[in-house]
């Protein structure tokens, strides 16, 4: 296994099966109360380069705070961070599955906590990356269900509308066979439109202007689909102004440049509006 994958599996009782217990990363663990620990973990996580340290900090305190909801959903989120940081497929799969297990535990214990539903939804999305079509659709259904619950409890959280926009955009592009299989599984065909996706991405911008490079990218993609080139150009220009901090930012930057080149190479769509 690679450098990020460091855990052992506990099999102490039924509840804990498939619930890995991270090894202590530090031989000397500073005793922190819960509030101080959570604040420290949140602060570390704000920088991409400190997400691993935040993860390790939470793992070091798992035994002490394992039954605290505010701790559980943060640990689930941290496993999601590790999924994003890792470049090894097996590691990513492990982190996604562990995080999903934690997320299930969190939503069961705190069904009205929006953060629990948010990170459970995200981790279902990560797990789905390793599944076949039928399970992908199953996890997609679960993702949407818990995303909607998270929005109900956290209506001002921009990240939720970004995720919903991504969901709507993906559903709007589903093939006939994917829609047919979803209908077989859930009794109805999932439906959404680029317009619905656009409204969610605009909501992100309303709540938090300049939220992310990726949000600007998807705003541009929606406007291209809707043949509103001026608006697509506007959001491409805004996207390149934001710094590249995460891998997602770098990927988004690359795609924005492709879109920009594509628009510039098509005189009928390029109104000479790029900065």
């Amino acid at each position: 296994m690679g450098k990020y994958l460091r855990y052992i599996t506990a099999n102490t009782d039924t509840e804990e099966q498939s619930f890995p217990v991270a090894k202590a990363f530090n031989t000397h663990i500073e005793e922190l109360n819960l509030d101080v620990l959570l604040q420290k973990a949140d602060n570390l996580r704000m920088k991409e380069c400190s997400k691993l340290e935040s993860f390790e900090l939470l793992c070091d305190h798992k035994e002490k705070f394992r039954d605290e909801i505010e701790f559980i959903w943060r640990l689930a989120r941290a496993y999601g961070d590790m999924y994003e940081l890792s470049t090894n497929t097996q590691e990513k799969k492990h982190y996604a599955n562990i995080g999903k297990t934690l997320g299930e535990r969190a939503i069961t214990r705190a069904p009205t906590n929006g953060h629990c539903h948010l990170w459970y939804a995200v981790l279902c999305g990560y797990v789905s990356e390793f599944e076949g079509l039928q399970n992908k659709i199953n996890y997609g259904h679960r993702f949407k269900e818990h995303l909607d619950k998270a929005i109900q409890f956290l209506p001002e959280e921009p990240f939720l509308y970004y995720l919903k926009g991504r969901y709507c955009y993906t559903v709007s592009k589903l093939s006939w066979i994917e829609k047919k299989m979803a209908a077989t599984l859930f009794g109805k065909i999932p439906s959404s439109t680029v317009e619905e996706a656009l409204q969610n991405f605009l909501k992100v911008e309303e709540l938090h202007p300049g939220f992310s490079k990726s949000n600007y990218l998807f705003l541009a993609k929606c406007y291209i689909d809707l043949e509103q080139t001026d608006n697509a150009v506007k959001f491409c220009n805004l996207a390149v102004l934001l710094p590249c901090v995460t891998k997602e930012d770098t990927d988004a930057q690359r795609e924005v440049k492709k879109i920009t080149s594509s628009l510039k190479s098509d005189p009928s769509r390029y109104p000479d509006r790029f900065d």
Side-chain angles (χ1 to χ4, degrees):
M1 294 293 177
K3 65 179 179 179
Y4 289 124
L5 192 57
R6 291 181 274 176
Y7 66 83
I8 55 175
T9 303
N11 291 300
T12 52
D13 55 46
T14 304
E15 181 187 1
E16 289 299 311
Q17 287 192 5
S18 302
F19 184 63
V21 180
K23 293 178 181 176
F25 289 95
N26 303 300
T27 52
H28 173 72
I29 299 172
E30 182 186 0
E31 283 296 319
L32 300 173
N33 69 39
L34 182 61
D35 289 342
V36 172
L37 171 68
L38 299 182
Q39 187 64 58
K40 189 172 181 180
D42 288 348
N43 288 343
L44 283 169
R45 188 180 178 271
M46 291 174 72
K47 292 183 179 179
E48 189 77 358
C49 62
S50 301
K51 284 184 176 180
L52 174 59
E53 188 179 347
S54 179
F55 170 73
E56 291 179 348
L57 178 68
L58 291 170
C59 286
D60 284 341
H61 290 80
K62 179 183 176 297
E63 288 306 310
K64 184 175 180 181
F65 298 118
R66 62 187 299 122
D67 294 320
E68 299 286 346
I69 288 300
E70 291 297 310
F71 179 86
I72 296 172
W73 73 252
R74 281 176 172 83
L75 187 56
R77 179 183 69 180
Y79 273 103
D81 291 341
M82 297 306 293
Y83 168 93
E84 289 286 353
L85 288 170
S86 178
T87 56
N88 177 284
T89 302
Q90 274 304 106
E91 286 184 6
K92 292 176 86 73
K93 189 174 182 179
H94 276 293
Y95 287 128
N97 281 311
I98 296 165
K100 182 179 75 72
T101 301
L102 283 162
E104 286 169 348
R105 196 175 181 194
I107 60 172
T108 300
R109 295 189 178 197
T112 59
N113 185 310
H115 295 288
C116 296
H117 289 286
L118 161 58
W119 293 105
Y120 178 62
V122 168
L123 284 146
C124 282
Y126 290 160
V127 169
S128 75
E129 293 297 314
F130 306 100
E131 300 290 341
L133 180 57
Q134 182 169 329
N135 280 342
K136 273 188 191 296
I137 291 169
N138 208 331
Y139 277 117
H141 181 80
R142 211 179 299 181
F143 175 88
K144 174 65 163 51
E145 176 190 352
H146 289 279
L147 192 60
D148 286 343
K149 287 181 180 179
I151 289 172
Q152 177 186 340
F153 299 124
L154 298 170
E156 301 300 309
E157 172 52 61
F159 184 44
L160 289 167
Y161 297 97
Y162 170 71
L163 292 174
K164 189 166 184 182
R166 290 288 302 266
Y167 172 86
C168 293
Y169 192 82
T170 299
V171 169
S172 76
K173 305 290 185 182
L174 286 179
S175 67
W176 177 84
I177 188 67
E178 288 169 326
K179 288 181 179 179
K180 188 74 174 173
M181 185 171 283
T184 302
L185 287 171
F186 302 109
K188 62 179 181 179
I189 296 175
S191 65
S192 191
T193 62
V194 172
E195 288 86 354
E196 189 177 352
L198 175 64
Q199 291 310 309
N200 280 286
F201 295 130
L202 288 171
K203 178 73 172 178
V204 175
E205 183 66 2
E206 175 193 323
L207 290 169
H208 186 154
F211 176 74
S212 72
K213 200 178 281 282
S214 292
N215 196 61
Y216 282 151
L217 165 64
F218 276 92
L219 279 163
K221 289 172 80 162
C222 287
Y223 280 121
I224 287 170
D225 288 347
L226 297 171
E227 299 184 346
Q228 296 183 34
T229 309
D230 282 9
N231 280 324
V233 169
K234 170 188 168 184
F235 285 108
C236 281
N237 287 336
L238 287 170
V240 297
L241 293 176
L242 292 180
C244 283
V245 178
T246 66
K247 181 181 179 297
E248 184 182 22
D249 291 337
T250 304
D251 293 343
Q253 179 87 340
R254 193 179 302 117
E255 196 165 351
V256 166
K257 286 182 176 178
K258 284 183 183 176
I259 290 173
T260 301
S261 297
S262 174
L263 290 173
K264 284 184 174 181
S265 67
D266 183 350
S268 66
R269 301 174 75 182
Y270 171 44
D272 198 25
R273 302 276 174 90
F274 285 95
D275 294 338

